[in-house]
Amino acid sequence: MIQTCDHVLPHGITLRCRTAGMPGRPVLMLLHGFPEGAFIWDALLAHFSAPENGGFRCVAPDLRGYGGSSSPLGVEAYQPRHLVQDIRALIAAESPRVPLAALVAHDWGGAVAWSVAAQHPDCMDRLMILNAPHAGAFLRELREQAEQRQASEYMRFLRRADAPQLLAENDWQRTFRFFAQPDGRLPAWLTPALQDEYRAHWSRGLQGPCHYYGASPLYPPAPGAPDHLAQVRLPEAALHVAVPTLVLWGMNDPALRPGLLEGLEDWVPRLQIQHLRNTSHWVVHERPARVIDELERFVQRQVSDEGVAV
């Protein structure tokens, strides 16, 4: 049974979490992206908490700024170091003595998860990423590839001060457009019931979620504006991920182009990549059975000291 609990973290942030499974069992932690919420993981929580599927303790927070979690004012409160602090503290609360069995993350949750894995590799056994770019690859592609710069144009809109208000207009028309298919129609998985769940979630406010974009230096420069990307420096220590990592990537993602997968092994030596054909950015909604199957195999797999799956 899926429950809701509030974790009050030592640094004053509260994360509202959807949980399933008994405390004390190995923990799977799942991080959502924009403009989603913890509820997107419900099928995985129900599956992996079942005794016949491992009996994991499953924890999915609403990230800072989302849903019932703390939404501090000011864009500076959404800098990456604060987001990493939230998840590291949540891991310490839910799995204080042993590493997570796996950290699973999509989109902005994945951006945070890459950083947690780089900075705190001892807090997880495995990392699973769903369509979320590694910062080093994202910076490279934004600098060098016009296709990725064009695909990321929406980020400048979300940095605008009036973005939350515009997203709410006309019954969240612009926000639902993020899910639209190439022909402009909403996908079949976005049922009326799920649309209502999203409306209720968004009605708590989207200023915090938009601040993720405002706080990040990784966005395409406006035409004619100075190229701020030339000044961005990412510390190498913040890019290297030593834990075994599985990347599932919807190859039809219009916002995150496949070039982001190139060269990942330079930063992530214990890497596996699964290319999901005919799948867009919304992997969890479009391919839930595939995500469950891949995660099930991943957490059960034994990995040698050399990092080779056996």
Side-chain angles (χ1 to χ4, degrees):
M1 182 174 64
I2 297 174
Q3 300 178 316
T4 300
C5 72
D6 287 348
H7 273 291
V8 181
L9 305 178
H11 55 284
I13 291 292
T14 297
L15 294 183
R16 179 159 294 173
C17 300
R18 296 178 73 79
T19 65
M22 293 293 295
R25 293 289 300 160
V27 176
L28 297 177
M29 189 169 290
L30 306 102
L31 309 181
H32 68 85
F34 177 91
E36 301 181 303
F39 61 87
I40 73 162
W41 302 110
D42 280 1
L44 277 75
L45 268 61
H47 178 88
F48 285 100
S49 62
E52 64 271 22
N53 298 318
F56 291 92
R57 169 71 170 174
C58 300
V59 182
D62 278 340
L63 297 180
R64 173 187 294 228
Y66 285 83
S69 293
S70 296
S71 297
L73 299 176
V75 67
E76 67 280 353
Y78 296 83
Q79 292 173 353
R81 60 189 177 90
H82 299 305
L83 308 177
V84 170
Q85 183 184 26
D86 289 351
I87 302 308
R88 183 66 188 95
L90 183 61
I91 293 171
E94 279 284 352
S95 190
R97 288 175 293 277
V98 296
L100 298 177
L103 181 61
V104 182
H106 173 245
D107 188 74
W108 259 112
V112 177
W114 280 120
S115 293
V116 175
Q119 297 173 36
H120 305 283
D122 58 332
C123 75
M124 68 189 74
D125 286 337
R126 288 169 175 75
L127 174 67
M128 182 174 175
I129 295 289
L130 313 175
N131 282 67
H134 182 280
F138 196 35
L139 177 58
R140 180 196 68 215
E141 294 297 288
L142 284 174
R143 282 173 170 168
E144 300 177 4
Q145 300 299 328
E147 181 187 23
Q148 185 57 61
R149 288 196 299 275
Q150 179 63 36
S152 298
E153 287 291 317
Y154 72 95
M155 300 178 78
R156 292 209 312 276
F157 165 73
L158 293 171
R159 291 171 56 87
R160 289 171 47 167
D162 60 350
Q165 291 72 38
L166 294 173
L167 290 169
E169 287 180 352
N170 301 316
D171 192 27
W172 307 99
Q173 183 179 40
R174 283 186 178 88
T175 317
F176 278 120
R177 199 177 296 159
F178 284 105
F179 300 123
Q181 301 174 120
D183 62 7
R185 294 182 300 169
L186 293 179
W189 57 258
L190 191 56
T191 62
L194 185 55
Q195 290 179 43
D196 287 344
E197 193 163 13
Y198 269 111
R199 288 187 183 96
H201 181 64
W202 297 334
S203 68
R204 292 176 175 267
L206 287 180
Q207 182 63 78
C210 288
H211 277 335
Y212 281 63
Y213 294 92
S216 173
L218 302 184
Y219 63 93
D227 186 358
H228 66 280
L229 293 171
Q231 309 304 318
V232 175
R233 298 290 182 268
L234 300 176
E236 192 63 30
L239 301 177
H240 183 79
V241 174
V243 300
T245 300
L246 172 63
V247 172
L248 297 189
W249 200 271
M251 298 300 286
N252 291 354
D253 189 329
L256 300 172
R257 306 308 299 146
L260 291 164
L261 299 174
E262 296 177 8
L264 266 186
E265 62 279 0
D266 293 341
W267 295 293
V268 192
R270 304 171 77 181
L271 175 69
Q272 305 167 59
I273 298 176
Q274 296 285 345
H275 302 85
L276 304 186
R277 306 294 177 185
N278 303 312
T279 305
S280 78
H281 181 72
W282 311 106
V283 180
V284 181
H285 287 306
E286 292 182 31
R287 305 290 296 277
R290 177 68 180 272
V291 173
I292 287 172
D293 287 347
E294 294 293 347
L295 179 56
E296 201 159 53
R297 281 192 286 268
F298 191 45
V299 297
Q300 292 173 351
R301 188 175 296 135
Q302 297 298 316
V303 178
S304 72
D305 291 340
E306 292 75 31
V308 179
V310 296

